[in-house]
Amino acid sequence: MKNTTKFTSALLCCSILLIFVMLLSLRFGADHIATATVWSALTNPHASGLDQQIIRSIRLPRVLGAALIGAALAGSGALMQGVTRNPLADSGLLGINAGAGLMLTLCLAFFPKLTTVQTTWWAVVGAAISACLIFCISTARNVQLNPSTLVLAGIAISTLFTALSEGLALVLQLKQDLAFWCFGGLGAVSWSQLKYLGPALIIGLVLTLLLSSQLNLAYLTDDNAKSLGKSLPLLRGLALGCVIILSGISVALVGTITFVGLMIPHMSRWIVGSDYRRSLPVTLLLGATLTVSADLIARLVNPPHETPFGIIISLIGVPCFIYLARKESTHA
Amino acid sequence: MNLIETQAVSIGYADKTIIDNLSINIPQGQITTLIGPSGSGKSTLIRALAHLLKPTTGVILLDQENIQAIKTKTLAKKMAVLPQTNQTANDLSVEELVSFGRLPYRRPLAGLTTTDHEKIEWALTQASLQALRHRTLSTLSGGQRQRAWIAMAIAQDTETIILDEPTTYLDLTHQLDVMLLVKRLNEQSHRTIIMALHDLNHAARFSDHLIAIKKGQVKAQGSVKDVMTAENLKAIFNINATLVDYQGTPLILTYDHYQEDQQS
């Protein structure tokens, strides 16, 4: 029973914290906008001053995007760690980052006329292609998916794709254009992107939550699961599908951010325990909270310039991580 | 009556045949133990009996029904299996692990029913784990951890329980705990037990039926008295064993390497 109370309070705290930082994010930014104006922009559809425009068409999609992307990255990290039984796994192992990066480079190099939204779609396609390629290679010799083969195939394909895109960028002098994407940032997230990618992210997040009770099975071996009448290979396939949707879209939108997917799942496990039915919802909320806060700070440090977002995430995340890791070790 | 029968079963990985043309019978309601040297094919046979491995030829019958034709989920209600290495799941609590045993009975996304809770409680009591239910597996001793895994199999509430070397890596006391638990399950709850053991004296003391395997073939099968003979031990393990009779059970007092020239 003690666990349930802990879970409920963790869920409640994280939700309140998330809503709080989202509101702060709407209120503060490069432009100084009064609280009353923010409120009227959100509640009164007829208010159409410049400030209200800024809130509605720039800050709101950015904050919503940050929350969804944070939850997506953290969730796909948790799924990856579960199905590969590897505490250091994240979606990068599926070649998501490298695939999206390569496709982005190709777009910039050969189709410079594409709009940002179109480029983002191609990056999602790139992420999916490389994930499917890695998936096929690791299941080619065996019907069952072997986590260690998956990791090795992932490293091989990622390295190849990264090398290709870096080579192209060097030859065609695209480093400058790609730099934004490499550091990660939410500055470019707009309604035109969120209109289609937002619902896709939400579907991915719901699927992830539905998988959470099954994901506990990944703590067992394939033999254990089979003798309980369950199929681990099937579960792995479903989970990897979710990972492709979630992190493929996130990476295409904001670039490579590793800390969220790697650390947030561990932090939630330390807070509510290793049962995925409890840790996964907390993971999604914490991921969203961290990403929204980091984006807010990135905008506030040196306005109107944006500080690279990945750096802020590490600056907030690492102290939290060290605190929780120490707390955990005194418990054990 | 035989619960499980194998008919001319051959099993192998890739192109290597491990079990060749093997026919055995496993009686219902008894403890059957597979004995044999390392690499003799005990684990392979256990995995095939548990439907974790498909025989290349021959059939395995459970209650006269071909095991390949039974759905995995249906089979999980008839037979619980504990494979040899259980080094995973160390982050889970004892109760979480044991509740996995109820998975074959649960609908997708549904919570635990009253029956599920009763069976979990019963399994924890059988394995004397009530006091440790909230501890994570990583904080338990090897013996306690093994009892937790067995409790998961008990919670599965199946007629048959299959255990692959349940006492390996445990000290004497914990080995005894596990063997007594297995014996209780058989005598009080009438479970059919199939296991592989290395300790021949444990096999003799706790089993009703022994099957001795060497190089993938049956060397002897039958009651403990029939199988545990100096002659058989010589043929199977290449040892010269001194057997004593302790309350009707043959036990090995001591043994030595068997050498051809000893006979001359």
Side-chain angles (χ1 to χ4, degrees):
Chain A
M1 283 309 104
K2 200 183 124 212
N3 277 341
T4 318
T5 4
K6 209 171 174 184
F7 171 60
T8 324
S9 50
L11 212 55
L12 209 66
C13 287
C14 290
S15 312
I16 293 171
L17 198 63
L18 175 61
I19 293 169
F20 179 67
V21 293
M22 283 176 82
L23 290 175
L24 275 186
S25 273
L26 283 174
R27 170 71 180 76
F28 296 101
D31 259 325
H32 187 82
I33 300 174
T35 315
T37 322
V38 175
W39 186 248
S40 75
L42 291 179
T43 52
N44 180 4
H46 301 296
S48 55
L50 182 64
D51 286 347
Q52 276 98 336
Q53 290 286 341
I54 289 179
I55 299 290
R56 254 185 264 155
S57 57
I58 298 179
R59 284 197 195 161
L60 193 57
R62 189 169 178 163
V63 170
L64 288 178
L68 282 177
I69 288 163
L73 287 171
S76 51
L79 289 175
M80 284 299 289
Q81 289 169 13
V83 295
T84 59
R85 252 181 251 135
N86 176 353
L88 293 177
D90 74 343
S91 52
L93 282 182
L94 264 185
I96 303 271
N97 302 336
L102 178 60
M103 203 52 113
L104 204 68
T105 319
L106 287 174
C107 284
L108 287 174
F110 301 111
F111 308 99
K113 293 223 173 70
L114 289 176
T115 63
T116 327
V117 181
Q118 284 167 325
T119 321
T120 311
W121 276 109
W122 281 110
V124 176
V125 173
I129 290 176
S130 99
C132 292
L133 199 62
I134 288 166
F135 198 77
C136 292
I137 292 175
S138 53
T139 49
R141 287 192 52 198
N142 206 323
V143 198
Q144 290 196 348
L145 179 76
N146 181 343
S148 56
T149 325
L150 181 83
V151 171
L152 288 176
I155 292 171
I157 295 290
S158 294
T159 315
L160 174 69
F161 281 9
T162 312
L164 280 177
S165 50
E166 298 219 327
L168 263 177
L170 268 180
V171 173
L172 300 168
Q173 309 206 320
L174 296 168
K175 273 284 174 203
Q176 195 71 37
D177 301 313
L178 280 172
F180 150 73
W181 192 78
C182 290
F183 284 115
L186 280 149
V189 176
S190 64
W191 281 124
S192 50
Q193 289 174 323
L194 275 190
K195 199 162 51 181
Y196 301 106
L197 295 176
L201 280 178
I202 292 172
I203 292 171
L205 290 173
V206 171
L207 288 178
T208 305
L209 284 175
L210 288 178
L211 275 183
S212 63
S213 66
Q214 300 292 310
L215 207 57
N216 279 334
L217 274 175
Y219 283 118
L220 303 178
T221 62
D222 287 28
D223 277 0
N224 285 141
K226 197 175 174 193
S227 64
L228 291 167
K230 298 281 174 180
S231 162
L232 268 191
L234 175 72
L235 173 69
R236 289 200 192 104
L238 290 173
L240 293 183
C242 281
V243 170
I244 293 177
I245 299 177
L246 291 177
S247 63
I249 294 175
S250 309
V251 167
L253 282 172
V254 301
T256 312
I257 296 159
T258 42
F259 189 88
V260 181
L262 196 59
M263 296 303 181
I264 296 285
H266 287 289
M267 290 162 73
S268 349
R269 272 194 285 269
W270 290 331
I271 298 171
V272 290
S274 47
D275 186 337
Y276 277 106
R277 281 170 302 173
R278 297 204 176 101
S279 74
L280 213 49
V282 175
T283 300
L284 300 187
L285 287 172
L286 271 185
T289 311
L290 175 63
T291 313
V292 175
S293 332
D295 180 52
L296 174 65
I297 296 170
R299 283 183 282 149
L300 290 181
V301 169
N302 183 21
H305 302 287
E306 302 222 348
T307 311
F309 169 74
I311 297 175
I312 310 282
I313 289 221
S314 311
L315 276 180
I316 309 176
V318 171
C320 292
F321 180 80
I322 292 171
Y323 167 73
L324 282 169
R326 287 185 57 93
K327 202 177 136 207
E328 172 69 9
S329 61
T330 47
H331 268 301
Chain B
M1 193 194 135
N2 290 326
L3 181 71
I4 299 180
E5 276 181 56
T6 73
Q7 298 175 344
V9 161
S10 298
I11 317 158
Y13 302 94
D15 23 63
K16 197 176 172 224
T17 305
I18 311 269
I19 300 278
D20 190 21
N21 198 15
L22 183 109
S23 298
I24 56 166
N25 296 321
I26 290 170
Q28 188 161 32
Q30 297 195 357
I31 299 183
T32 300
T33 302
L34 305 177
I35 56 172
S38 299
S40 59
K42 297 189 297 287
S43 285
T44 307
L45 179 60
I46 285 237
R47 294 191 67 213
L49 294 177
H51 192 34
L52 296 172
L53 203 63
K54 198 177 170 227
T56 38
T57 56
V59 282
I60 297 173
L61 299 176
L62 171 69
D63 268 336
Q64 312 300 318
E65 196 180 346
N66 187 346
I67 206 167
Q68 297 297 331
I70 306 175
K71 277 190 190 155
T72 322
K73 192 157 180 173
T74 315
L75 192 67
K77 294 178 190 173
K78 295 173 182 252
M79 181 187 267
V81 188
L82 215 53
Q84 201 173 31
T85 45
N86 294 311
Q87 288 307 311
T88 56
N90 285 337
D91 294 332
L92 294 176
S93 74
V94 172
E95 198 172 350
E96 281 164 350
L97 180 73
V98 176
S99 65
F100 276 152
R102 300 305 299 166
L103 276 172
Y105 301 90
R106 288 171 66 181
R107 291 163 191 278
L109 301 176
L112 292 168
T113 64
T114 323
T115 324
D116 289 336
H117 281 295
E118 281 169 15
K119 296 290 179 190
I120 292 168
E121 231 27 66
W122 176 68
L124 287 170
T125 316
Q126 288 287 311
S128 325
L129 287 167
Q130 299 103 310
L132 302 173
R133 63 196 308 154
H134 295 302
R135 293 265 296 273
T136 50
L137 291 189
S138 56
T139 65
L140 300 182
S141 73
Q144 293 167 332
R145 205 173 304 160
Q146 184 63 301
R147 290 209 316 266
W149 282 96
I150 295 176
M152 178 183 93
I154 299 174
Q156 216 173 321
D157 196 22
T158 54
E159 194 194 340
T160 310
I161 298 177
I162 301 183
L163 306 159
D164 193 0
E165 292 186 19
T167 54
T168 309
Y169 306 124
L170 301 183
D171 67 29
L172 280 180
T173 323
H174 288 126
Q175 287 189 21
L176 186 63
D177 286 342
V178 167
M179 295 316 295
L180 289 172
L181 169 59
V182 167
K183 191 79 180 166
R184 263 202 315 277
L185 281 171
N186 170 251
E187 284 179 345
Q188 293 170 9
S189 313
H190 312 291
R191 309 287 145 144
T192 304
I193 310 274
I194 305 165
M195 58 185 169
L197 284 181
H198 267 305
D199 188 319
L200 292 177
N201 280 347
H202 275 165
R205 179 174 158 195
F206 293 102
S207 316
D208 303 302
H209 192 80
L210 289 183
I211 299 174
I213 298 174
K214 187 181 187 182
K215 290 181 181 156
Q217 293 190 315
V218 176
K219 287 289 173 193
Q221 64 175 321
S223 70
V224 174
K225 272 196 176 140
D226 290 343
V227 177
M228 280 279 277
T229 60
E231 199 68 19
N232 278 337
L233 293 175
K234 200 176 289 171
I236 300 157
F237 293 97
N238 220 22
I239 54 169
N240 252 331
T242 309
L243 289 162
V244 290
D245 186 287
Y246 178 75
Q247 297 176 347
T249 305
L251 295 177
I252 297 174
L253 184 67
T254 182
Y255 61 96
D256 259 305
H257 281 298
Y258 167 73
Q259 276 152 354
E260 298 288 339
D261 53 76
Q262 283 177 341
Q263 286 184 321
S264 58

